[in-house]
Amino acid sequence: MLRFGRIHSSLGFAATAVPVALGLLFTVAGAASAKTTITFWHDWGVNQVIQSVVDRFNQSQSEVEVKVIPTGELSSKLMAAVAGGSAPDVVLIDRFMTCEFAANGALTPLDSLIARDKLDADTFFPPTWQEARWLGKQYAIPTNTDSRALLYLRSTLEAAGIDSENPPATWDELRTVSAKLTRRESDGRLSRVGYVPNWGNISLKEYIWQNGGELLNESLTKVIFAEKPAVEALQWVVDFVDSYGGQPRLDEFGSRVDWATGALGPVLKGQVALIWEGSWQLGGLRENFPNIYKNDLAAGLPPQKVRRATLSGGHGLAIPVGSSHPEAAWKFIRYFTSVEPQVQLGVGTGFIPANRQAALNQQLIQDPVLRVFILSMEFARLRPPHPAYPQIDALISDAFWKAIRHEATPAAALDEAVRLSQLILDRYNKHYGIIK
């Protein structure tokens, strides 16, 4: 009979050491097979779609376990966590904020991982990839995107003798169709408007782009939105608003419009015929007004003057500086941004996948309204990826409203906004060593 005690005694070990050694052996083996747990922050609240994507990832392999942590006030908490050495392993951020986080040292450049795994930037819609860059480096991988387009009810256009299959495609057509759709009371008050150029999810930058202009130069060192295309675009908006009797007349009508059911409430009530809105509105409409969504709602591509253009936003996944498990985080990012999870995210949330192949999946493009927003991505532009831009954007908005309210001419309003914007841009660029 084999006796462990005698064998180990003859080797100089006590018999009691055997179970301890075996226990250590099994502990090491167990540790080797355990998953690496990573933390994932996002600020979408308790989002079941994100959780379901994570659950499928966790079940799909035996190496990484993702723990989801919904995080409010994510921007400030992320910076504090990085500074305090307690950063999450992966974070879902608004791509618009990528450059600011990167410039402040909060994000890890992903270029070496991208090169190693041969991840092709063309997998994603170009603006979504470009928006996640700062000073030539990639700091996030796009997850979802959105676009803006014209939304309207077919029945409203058809009742006015307008072909609902061919919505306005140019600025001139938009003005003409809008005039046909506008209705007034006997006292001159508005009872329905066609298209209002400063209602909906629209701003001056889209009109500048549509007229062939830009906001900053290519090197992000000069503010250029007071040039001729921008002045013309703002003048067009002012003239359009004035055709209704000016902003005070629109404000009075707006106070009587039914916004209770959300941004598209006035369209559903027949008070606004055409509105420029984002693709994120579609999920709620589909759920709350299924008959209207299926039988009456339609979308039109962005109208153009010189070119079509729309704004694209969305989110991306990044690895914060200080992540304890960057390789595991990267494995999760690669999964989340691949085709099948992207389709799952798109179907579940109504967002457009940033992955181009996923966005063209039949489950998404079979929806004729969503299909227009997906096709609009061909004309999508991004806000300049620069930490100074949020302040510049506020000044563009200021100029927009000053001109609309006739507090300044379009040229004067834009000149002042450019002057202040250039000071801000120069200050940031000197701080980051872009200019001396």
Side-chain angles (χ1 to χ4, degrees):
M1 182 177 179
L2 187 61
R3 298 181 183 273
F4 286 108
R6 288 184 180 177
I7 292 174
H8 285 277
S9 292
S10 66
L11 294 174
F13 291 98
T16 55
V18 177
V20 174
L22 289 174
L24 288 172
L25 177 64
F26 287 120
T27 299
V28 171
S33 62
K35 286 186 173 185
T36 298
T37 298
I38 64 172
T39 52
F40 169 32
W41 284 13
H42 71 79
D43 60 358
W44 288 19
V46 183
N47 188 287
Q48 296 304 317
V49 180
I50 286 182
Q51 186 62 57
S52 66
V53 173
V54 170
D55 289 343
R56 290 182 70 171
F57 171 75
N58 288 340
Q59 295 159 13
S60 71
Q61 41 73 51
S62 59
E63 297 174 356
V64 181
E65 184 79 13
V66 177
K67 181 181 179 183
V68 180
I69 303 177
T71 307
E73 300 178 3
L74 189 146
S75 295
S76 58
K77 288 182 180 177
L78 178 61
M79 293 304 301
V82 169
S86 58
D89 295 295
V90 62
V91 61
L92 182 68
I93 56 175
D94 190 327
R95 279 197 313 276
F96 179 44
M97 299 293 293
T98 305
C99 59
E100 185 169 346
F101 285 129
N104 288 317
L107 302 180
T108 302
L110 303 176
D111 302 83
S112 61
L113 294 168
I114 290 167
R116 184 194 70 190
D117 289 3
K118 297 180 173 60
L119 178 60
D120 189 350
D122 287 340
T123 300
F124 306 92
F125 288 110
T128 69
W129 186 265
Q130 295 159 12
E131 195 171 33
R133 296 181 67 76
W134 170 243
L135 296 184
K137 294 183 179 180
Q138 194 73 23
Y139 285 92
I141 305 300
T143 55
N144 61 286
T145 189
D146 52 52
S147 65
R148 285 86 169 154
L150 288 174
L151 282 172
Y152 60 94
L153 297 184
R154 296 178 187 277
S155 58
T156 301
L157 268 62
E158 289 165 0
I162 298 166
D163 183 1
S164 66
E165 296 296 326
N166 292 290
T170 68
W171 283 11
D172 288 344
E173 289 178 11
L174 194 55
R175 280 292 300 268
T176 300
V177 166
S178 185
K180 288 182 179 178
L181 290 161
T182 298
R183 300 286 182 270
R184 297 178 186 271
E185 306 287 356
S186 58
D187 61 1
R189 293 195 309 163
L190 294 163
S191 58
R192 184 176 75 194
V193 293
Y195 173 79
V196 179
N198 54 329
W199 282 11
N201 199 273
I202 187 73
S203 68
L204 179 56
K205 53 183 170 285
E206 285 93 331
Y207 296 123
I208 293 173
W209 290 331
Q210 289 170 8
N211 200 36
E214 300 293 345
L215 308 179
L216 305 182
N217 66 353
E218 193 171 340
S219 63
L220 305 180
T221 57
K222 186 178 180 183
V223 182
I224 57 175
F225 61 77
E227 296 180 354
K228 184 178 178 181
V231 176
E232 289 179 349
L234 184 49
Q235 187 64 62
W236 180 80
V237 171
V238 170
D239 291 345
F240 206 145
V241 169
D242 286 350
S243 73
Y244 288 112
Q247 191 58 40
R249 179 76 74 173
L250 283 172
D251 288 341
E252 187 280 327
F253 176 59
S255 69
R256 294 184 282 114
V257 163
D258 182 7
W259 301 101
T261 51
L264 289 176
V267 175
L268 302 180
K269 293 284 188 179
Q271 297 165 313
V272 176
L274 298 143
I275 197 165
W276 182 270
E277 263 300 343
S279 50
W280 58 86
Q281 300 284 358
L282 302 184
L285 284 170
R286 197 164 46 226
E287 181 178 349
N288 298 316
F289 305 96
N291 290 333
I292 292 176
Y293 189 93
K294 182 179 179 180
N295 300 311
D296 204 1
L297 188 70
L301 292 172
Q304 64 180 0
K305 178 68 182 296
V306 173
R307 62 191 175 194
R308 294 189 191 273
T310 186
L311 175 65
S312 169
H315 294 75
L317 287 172
I319 300 176
V321 168
S323 166
S324 301
H325 308 287
E327 282 290 346
W330 178 246
K331 183 180 180 72
F332 172 62
I333 290 172
R334 289 300 310 275
Y335 174 86
F336 198 101
T337 56
S338 63
V339 173
E340 186 178 339
Q342 285 274 282
V343 172
Q344 183 183 354
L345 188 73
V347 171
T349 64
F351 280 114
I352 301 169
N355 184 304
R356 299 164 88 169
Q357 184 180 345
L360 296 176
N361 183 276
Q362 187 61 31
Q363 293 184 69
L364 298 172
I365 63 170
Q366 67 183 355
D367 179 334
V369 180
L370 179 59
R371 182 166 61 243
V372 172
F373 283 91
I374 294 172
L375 293 175
S376 291
M377 287 301 299
E378 180 183 347
F379 315 108
R381 307 294 295 270
L382 68 150
R383 291 159 288 195
H386 195 289
Y389 184 71
Q391 293 178 59
I392 294 172
D393 191 70
L395 290 169
I396 294 173
S397 179
D398 251 6
F400 188 54
W401 284 100
K402 281 180 180 177
I404 288 170
R405 297 189 184 281
H406 291 282
E407 296 168 4
T409 66
L414 290 172
D415 281 343
E416 178 64 4
V418 163
R419 185 184 70 80
L420 296 173
S421 295
Q422 191 66 55
L423 292 173
I424 293 168
L425 186 65
D426 288 347
R427 185 170 69 247
Y428 273 80
N429 282 343
K430 286 177 181 177
H431 176 74
Y432 294 118
I434 297 172
I435 61 173
K436 294 182 180 180

